[in-house]
Amino acid sequence: MDNLTLRSYRRTDAGAVSRLFREIYGDHYVQPHVYLPLMINQNHGDGRWHSLVAESGKKILGHATLCRNSGSHTAELALSVVHPSTRGQNIATQLGTRLLIHAQALGCHGVTIKQVTQHAYTQRMADRLGFCSTGLLLDYVPSPFGEPLPETIVIGFTAIDGYRRPLPALPWPPGCRDFMEHLSGVYGTQEKEPLWVGPPIHVEQCSGRYEVLLKKLDSCLLKQLRQLPRHWMISIRLRLATGFASAVDSLSAMGFIFTGIAPNDRCAGWLALFHRGYRPRTLELRCPHIQRLHDQAQQQIAARASEAASHS
C-alpha cells in the first residue's frame, strides 16, 4: 500500500485503535485495556505503553506497542495487530523494527515477545526481527480466536545492541542439555549470578492458572508445593541459578515439565519455566528447539494417562 504511513501514537487514536482490535478479535482479545480507549490513553500517559500505528487515508490499519513496567530495563513488543486488508505487506514487521530502535532510545536492555501458536504469523515476524525463542507457556491465556483450548505461547527474547544477558554457567541436566547449550551459544554464559530483586516468593491466579515466582526451591517449599491440589494448573518461574538440576528432578517427580526459560524483567537474570496441568494438543511450531519441548510435554501427558489406565 503506497500511501501507508507509520507514525507515533496520538491520544486521538485511542478510539480507532480499540475498534481495530474489536474488528479483528471480537470480544476475545486477552488484554482488556484495548476495549477501553480511556485505558489506552492512560497507559501511554503513564509511560507504560509506547505505540506506533500504520495509517492510510486517515484510517488506522496497524498497531504495535512496547510495554514496559516502571523501573524495568526489559520491554515487551506486544499488541501487534494489522487489518486483514493489508496483511502480507510486512506491516507488523515494519512496526516492530521501529519499536526495537525506540527500545534502545528508552534505555531498554532487551525486548521480549509472546508468539501465539494457533497461527504462524507472529512466529515468522519474531524470526524476521531477530528474536530467539527461549520458552513455552502452556495453556497460557484464553484463546484470542475463540477456540475451546487456551492459547499456548512461545516466548522470544532479543538483547538490545550493547547489552548482554548471559545465562549462568551451570551443569545442565541430560533431559534439557541440548536446549540449554543452544541458548548458551546464543546469549553466552557467566559465572556470576545476577542479584534477585523483589520478594523470594510470589503467587497469583491468572486465567484459571496459578503462577508461582520463586527465588529458590528448598525442602520446606517443596513440601508445601506437594500439598497443593493436584487438579490445579500451575506455572512455576524459578530463578535460573545454582541448584537448577536438582530442581528439575524434584519438580519432575511432582508432575511438572520443564519448558524453557524467560528473562526476569525485575533484574538481569533468567527464570526457568515449569508447568503442570496443561491439556493434550498438537502444535506445529517454527522453532525446532521449542517444538521438542512441546512434544516432550505431550509425551508426558500420554505417559501419565497410560500409567493411570494401568492402575484403574
Side-chain angles (χ1 to χ4, degrees):
M1 189 171 292
D2 295 335
N3 60 343
L4 192 74
T5 300
L6 306 186
R7 62 167 175 81
S8 296
Y9 172 87
R10 303 168 186 158
R11 290 186 61 84
T12 52
D13 295 330
V17 168
S18 184
R19 288 192 294 274
L20 179 62
F21 276 92
R22 191 179 291 276
E23 184 175 358
I24 295 173
Y25 290 102
D27 300 328
H28 300 296
Y29 199 73
V30 296
Q31 170 53 276
H33 290 193
V34 302
Y35 295 107
L36 295 167
L38 286 173
M39 280 303 308
I40 295 175
N41 276 334
Q42 180 172 299
N43 286 321
H44 284 91
D46 291 344
R48 295 186 65 246
W49 290 9
H50 302 264
S51 299
L52 295 177
V53 299
E55 183 181 55
S56 177
K58 296 186 177 181
K59 183 175 182 180
I60 290 179
L61 298 174
H63 173 272
T65 300
L66 277 179
C67 302
R68 185 172 65 151
N69 293 324
S70 177
S72 175
H73 288 291
T74 303
E76 180 185 353
L77 178 59
L79 305 175
S80 296
V81 63
V82 174
H83 194 276
S85 65
T86 61
R87 284 183 183 153
Q89 301 176 47
N90 291 329
I91 294 172
T93 302
Q94 293 178 57
L95 291 169
T97 299
R98 295 198 182 192
L99 283 172
L100 289 178
I101 295 171
H102 188 55
Q104 187 171 19
L106 290 173
C108 295
H109 297 179
V111 177
T112 63
I113 188 171
K114 291 187 178 81
Q115 307 160 62
V116 301
T117 55
Q118 287 293 316
H119 59 67
Y121 295 133
T122 54
Q123 295 175 61
R124 286 200 298 265
M125 181 184 75
D127 270 355
R128 288 195 292 263
L129 292 174
F131 285 89
C132 172
S133 294
T134 65
L136 197 60
L137 301 174
L138 301 169
D139 292 0
Y140 186 65
V141 289
S143 170
F145 312 106
E147 299 292 332
L149 285 177
E151 183 73 10
T152 287
I153 297 293
V154 175
I155 296 178
F157 177 77
T158 186
I160 297 299
D161 289 346
Y163 294 99
R164 296 177 64 247
R165 200 181 194 108
L167 278 62
L170 299 174
W172 306 120
C176 62
R177 183 173 297 148
D178 289 347
F179 179 73
M180 296 306 291
E181 288 181 348
H182 157 66
L183 294 182
S184 297
V186 173
Y187 298 113
T189 60
Q190 66 177 10
E191 295 293 336
K192 184 180 178 181
E193 296 178 352
L195 295 175
W196 179 265
V197 177
I201 180 170
H202 178 79
V203 181
E204 65 181 2
Q205 187 183 30
C206 184
S207 300
R209 180 186 66 259
Y210 294 86
E211 290 197 341
V212 183
L213 177 66
L214 300 175
K215 179 181 179 181
K216 65 178 181 178
L217 195 62
D218 56 29
S219 58
C220 179
L221 183 54
L222 274 169
K223 181 179 179 180
Q224 294 182 27
L225 288 173
R226 288 191 191 99
Q227 295 170 351
L228 293 178
R230 291 290 302 181
H231 67 276
W232 280 12
M233 181 167 66
I234 303 175
S235 296
I236 291 178
R237 299 186 181 212
L238 173 67
R239 181 190 185 198
L240 187 64
T242 302
F244 169 69
S246 62
V248 171
D249 289 341
S250 298
L251 291 172
S252 176
M254 296 166 55
F256 287 90
I257 185 93
F258 171 72
T259 62
I261 64 175
N264 186 346
D265 66 1
R266 298 181 180 183
C267 62
W270 291 89
L271 300 169
L273 308 175
F274 299 89
H275 294 268
R276 187 181 79 185
Y278 48 89
R279 300 175 224 188
R281 74 177 69 205
T282 300
L283 289 176
E284 293 186 8
L285 305 174
R286 189 172 178 88
C287 172
H289 302 283
I290 299 297
Q291 182 72 57
R292 280 193 287 274
L293 288 179
H294 176 264
D295 292 346
Q296 288 168 4
Q298 297 304 306
Q299 289 164 10
Q300 186 197 63
I301 291 179
R304 292 190 181 279
S306 176
E307 181 181 352
S310 67
H311 287 90
S312 61

